[in-house]
Amino acid sequence: MATHRLGIIMHGITGRMGLNQHLVRSIVAIRREGGVALPNGDRVMPDPILVGRNPERVAAIAREHGIERSTGDLDAALKNRDDTVFFDAATTQMRADLVTRAIEAGKHIYCEKPISDSLAKALAAARLAKSRGIKHGVVQDKLFLPGLRKMRMLRDAGFFGRLFAVRGEFGYWVFEGDWGQAAQRPSWNYKKAEGGGIILDMLCHWRYVLDHVFAPVKAVSCMGATHIPSRVDEQGRSYAADVDDAAYATFELEGGAIAHINCSWCVRVRRDDLVTFQADGTHGSAVAGLTRCWTQHRVNTPRPVWNPDVPQTLNFFDQWEEVPENITYDNGFKIQWEDYIRHVVADTPWKHDLVEGAKGVQLAELGLKSWAERRWLDVPKLEI
Ligand SMILES: NC(=O)c1ccc[n+]([C@@H]2O[C@H](COP(=O)([O-])OP(=O)(O)OC[C@H]3O[C@@H](n4cnc5c(N)ncnc54)[C@H](O)[C@@H]3O)[C@@H](O)[C@H]2O)c1
């Protein structure tokens, strides 16, 4: 049994996602466990070099997590032939250019979503990656959530019968920042010029969730809104929030099911989780949150009677049966990293490539267009 080194250039690891999910919960955890196991029993040990604008800051993060290498010089990092993978979790707007530079330097690519803020750039990056024959991937973390894995198991087991509707509720209150509570998301999320907006942020997730957990998306109708037009940034300065902070989107799926997903950073939560999906079929319904999933089969469906004259006697939440935790669910970002590393080193199968990433950007762009033009839009097949 041999252990192979894999040099990974990690960019954007001072940010929320880069630091918590990709560095600490994934790469550092994988290193602590002795690397990733390959099908032949060998192991791969990731050897990251952390890259950022502020070399002192990335050096401090590296030290804190037992990582030997860090730098402020991305060009030099890309020139090092011993580091064969480039990963990016910095801002959306920078991504396509960074990814393009890294592909041109001959690196394999793995990156956060969305892979770009425009479909044209996303397609160009996907085409370049394919033409150079490198391994490429995009984060599709929601597919690895225990709640959605259980939902998909129900679909594959035939639990729903004919699936006809999906309802998604995503969101929570993001503080405005001006009355004693700091905002809990970065201010660029609320600025058009900096790649913000909930439609661009979330519709790329819903593309792969709908495609792979329920059925492929055929058409979209979306209405966005800016419910909170003024917010306060990290420095305490007031700014105009000029992008959508909520979106109300309906999707037509192959096979005839209709999906409707509400996304909002201006909603107070009274439901099972920060995101929930309800799927309804002829034989049963299910509701999934991030980790848990509940079912109601046709034979267990109660018979509610509409009567506005008496307070509700039924507790509807009690009428569902929970899908048991029969397996251990690891962190979804880590599972996807492990799959990606196996794909790079041992050429194992991999679905989450930049073409999939471009499909997400396509749906976000169509959602924005649908809102602007107030109409339904078909989702055409991408020509790569
Ligand atoms: N998969 C998910 O569930 C998920 C969730 C949130 C965000 N994201 C994506 O992750 C990315 C980062 O989001 P975040 O919430 O972590 O943002 P963030 O603001 O916390 O982090 C942004 C990172 O980019 C770096 N950066 C910003 N401007 C830069 C510049 N000019 N040069 C070099 N580096 C620069 C910052 O230093 C930081 O490391 C976005 O593309 C976002 O869409 C994905």
Side-chain angles (χ1 to χ4, degrees):
M1 249 184 38
T3 297
H4 311 273
R5 169 193 175 276
L6 181 66
I8 305 176
I9 303 162
M10 296 188 78
H11 184 256
I13 47 75
T14 57
R16 283 187 325 145
M17 297 312 291
L19 181 64
N20 298 325
Q21 296 302 336
H22 294 288
L23 186 67
V24 177
R25 301 283 276 125
S26 298
I27 296 299
V28 171
I30 289 169
R31 280 160 60 90
R32 201 179 304 121
E33 288 172 14
V36 175
L38 297 179
N40 69 359
D42 287 359
R43 297 192 80 84
V44 180
M45 181 60 82
D47 177 15
I49 173 165
L50 309 187
V51 190
R53 283 172 295 178
N54 180 337
E56 288 79 34
R57 185 135 178 250
V58 280
I61 292 174
R63 265 194 313 278
E64 188 182 342
H65 297 288
I67 290 165
E68 285 104 48
R69 303 184 301 147
S70 68
T71 179
D73 187 345
L74 179 61
D75 283 325
L78 288 174
K79 281 196 187 113
N80 183 355
R81 286 164 169 270
D82 292 335
D83 292 326
T84 50
V85 172
F86 173 76
F87 169 74
D88 178 56
T91 60
T92 301
Q93 274 192 321
M94 302 168 64
R95 182 151 308 119
D97 289 343
L98 283 169
V99 161
T100 303
R101 270 167 72 190
I103 298 171
E104 277 165 354
K107 305 299 177 197
H108 302 301
I109 300 295
Y110 188 43
C111 65
E112 260 297 352
K113 49 54 64 178
I115 65 165
S116 164
D117 54 1
S118 87
L119 179 60
K121 283 193 270 175
L123 281 173
R127 286 183 186 127
L128 183 67
K130 277 182 103 85
S131 74
R132 297 292 168 96
I134 54 122
K135 303 266 178 38
H136 46 104
V138 62
V139 173
Q140 297 192 322
D141 53 292
K142 308 293 177 263
L143 292 178
F144 299 86
L145 285 170
L148 285 178
R149 286 172 67 187
K150 291 169 188 168
M151 184 68 98
R152 189 166 155 175
M153 177 188 75
L154 293 171
R155 183 199 70 178
D156 293 347
F159 170 80
F160 295 108
R162 179 172 54 80
L163 180 79
F164 51 78
V166 176
R167 283 149 222 270
E169 277 291 341
F170 163 82
Y172 49 89
W173 192 265
V174 178
F175 288 102
E176 303 90 322
D178 60 353
W179 52 271
Q181 303 242 27
Q184 70 272 43
R185 291 184 65 91
S187 56
W188 66 262
N189 285 178
Y190 305 92
K191 298 180 189 170
K192 193 175 180 59
E194 295 180 25
I198 202 165
I199 295 177
L200 178 59
D201 194 40
M202 296 314 294
L203 261 62
C204 48
H205 284 299
W206 306 147
R207 176 70 190 265
Y208 65 76
V209 166
L210 291 170
D211 278 0
H212 299 295
V213 179
F214 300 105
V217 183
K218 278 177 61 182
V220 57
S221 162
C222 179
M223 180 156 183
T226 306
H227 293 311
I228 310 279
S230 168
R231 291 180 176 269
V232 170
D233 70 12
E234 293 78 358
Q235 282 73 41
R237 289 179 307 227
S238 212
Y239 65 94
D242 60 354
V243 276
D244 39 293
D245 55 14
Y248 307 88
T250 310
F251 307 91
E252 186 187 355
L253 308 186
E254 264 175 33
I258 297 162
H260 181 85
I261 306 181
N262 294 322
C263 316
S264 180
W265 287 317
C266 324
V267 62
R268 298 179 177 94
V269 178
R270 185 179 161 90
R271 54 184 127 88
D272 289 303
D273 214 329
L274 297 191
V275 67
T276 55
F277 284 93
Q278 171 160 346
D280 293 306
T282 49
H283 286 47
S285 296
V287 175
L290 293 174
T291 52
R292 300 172 71 184
C293 182
W294 297 265
T295 58
Q296 192 173 96
H297 193 260
R298 67 193 321 193
V299 299
N300 296 325
T301 305
R303 182 186 291 270
V305 178
W306 184 276
N307 183 354
D309 295 324
V310 291
Q312 187 52 253
T313 54
L314 299 177
N315 182 339
F316 297 108
F317 286 91
D318 287 347
Q319 298 167 348
W320 297 72
E321 200 178 358
E322 187 166 0
V323 177
E325 294 271 314
N326 287 347
I327 55 172
T328 307
Y329 296 94
D330 204 349
N331 176 287
F333 290 87
K334 173 164 171 268
I335 298 174
Q336 208 189 343
W337 262 107
E338 289 168 339
D339 280 356
Y340 175 74
I341 288 171
R342 271 189 285 270
H343 172 61
V344 167
V345 180
D347 206 21
T348 49
W350 171 256
K351 291 186 295 220
H352 321 280
D353 62 10
L354 290 184
V355 179
E356 280 283 302
K359 286 185 190 172
V361 179
Q362 178 193 34
L363 191 63
E365 214 169 84
L366 288 170
L368 287 163
K369 189 167 180 220
S370 160
W371 175 25
E373 299 180 2
R374 302 175 72 81
R375 66 187 181 101
W376 275 92
L377 292 171
D378 287 335
V379 179
K381 194 174 178 320
L382 283 183
E383 303 295 337
I384 297 292

